[in-house]
Amino acid sequence: VAEGKATIATSVGDKELVKGMVSIKMETKKISGRNFTPSVIEPSFGIGRIMYCMFEHSFYVRPEDTQKTVFKFSPIIAPIKCTIFPLLNDAKMNNLANMISRTLSSDGVSTKLDTTAISVGKRYARTDELGVPFAVTVDHRSLEDGTVTVRERDSTQQVRLHHTDVLPLVKKLCAMQASWEDATLGMEKQTMAVE
């Protein structure tokens, strides 16, 4: 290199480089780039995504029956808080069910009255699919002593209480002021019908 030439070994043999074949020099070059700012920004926190996540985390299938699907919405966010069923499509039972529905609705508890003639188990399953946390059933005993059953969706436990006590119980449960176990402590437990 000091004499202005160098020998390089290649795969095809040695090659000689002379001074005129290679040029090395220092240079300063200005490179300017173009900045690009997107004009559309897609936020990833829309209400649709929040709702989808809520549905995804709330949906399950009951282990004892794969045909029974449930939306396990918390009572505080469930769109319908309580369904009311007369056991049979009977005028007296319908009147009491309507009265309970009006009482709950007038106090801000969203309800759904179901007077269809299908079995109460199928009505429970239908409301479980909608994510309704509580169901009130008016039966023959309701006409005798004014008591009704209240069913909790997740445990499927039922208690019997006077129809005038339904509003305070459902409001307390929907406001998350007490758990089902604490709120129904001391109430008459009902054996579950085959759903």
Side-chain angles (χ1 to χ4, degrees):
V1 176
E3 302 166 356
K5 62 181 183 178
T7 305
I8 298 177
T10 66
S11 61
V12 290
D14 289 347
K15 300 291 178 187
E16 191 173 286
L17 293 176
V18 290
K19 188 176 181 178
M21 296 171 107
V22 178
S23 169
I24 301 172
K25 60 182 174 178
M26 295 287 278
E27 221 177 75
T28 304
K29 186 176 181 182
K30 182 179 179 185
I31 300 174
S32 57
R34 183 176 156 219
N35 291 334
F36 175 74
T37 305
S39 59
V40 176
I41 298 172
E42 179 190 352
S44 62
F45 51 85
I47 189 71
R49 293 174 194 237
I50 294 169
M51 294 295 289
Y52 177 76
C53 286
M54 186 179 67
F55 292 152
E56 179 78 18
H57 291 286
S58 298
F59 181 81
Y60 74 98
V61 177
R62 291 209 188 272
E64 66 275 2
D65 186 351
T66 57
Q67 297 298 311
K68 293 183 179 175
T69 56
V70 180
F71 267 125
K72 188 179 179 175
F73 295 136
S74 169
I76 205 162
I77 64 163
I80 302 170
K81 310 290 187 202
C82 188
T83 52
I84 297 109
F85 313 132
L87 188 62
L88 304 171
N89 196 357
D90 174 74
K92 290 179 183 175
M93 287 185 192
N94 286 346
N95 288 340
L96 183 55
N98 278 320
M99 185 184 73
I100 295 168
S101 179
R102 281 192 309 273
T103 302
L104 292 171
S105 295
S106 67
D107 214 293
V109 177
S110 58
T111 63
K112 179 174 175 39
L113 182 63
D114 187 350
T115 59
T116 57
I118 62 172
S119 74
V120 77
K122 287 182 181 177
R123 287 187 266 180
Y124 285 151
R126 186 181 348 187
T127 59
D128 290 349
E129 287 176 346
L130 296 174
V132 180
F134 307 106
V136 176
T137 305
V138 177
D139 56 17
H140 298 291
R141 186 170 159 191
S142 305
L143 301 177
E144 297 168 12
D145 61 8
T147 61
V148 294
T149 60
V150 177
R151 174 187 180 264
E152 195 260 342
R153 174 199 59 219
D154 301 327
S155 66
T156 68
Q157 293 178 348
Q158 298 178 26
V159 294
R160 182 166 284 280
L161 66 157
H162 197 269
H163 69 84
T164 57
D165 296 327
V166 171
L167 176 63
L169 174 66
V170 171
K171 281 188 75 165
K172 181 188 276 189
L173 290 167
C174 287
M176 308 294 283
Q177 294 173 340
S179 66
W180 172 259
E181 292 77 21
D182 293 340
T184 60
L185 199 63
M187 294 183 182
E188 180 186 343
K189 306 293 186 215
Q190 287 292 115
T191 54
M192 290 180 276
V194 177
E195 295 180 15

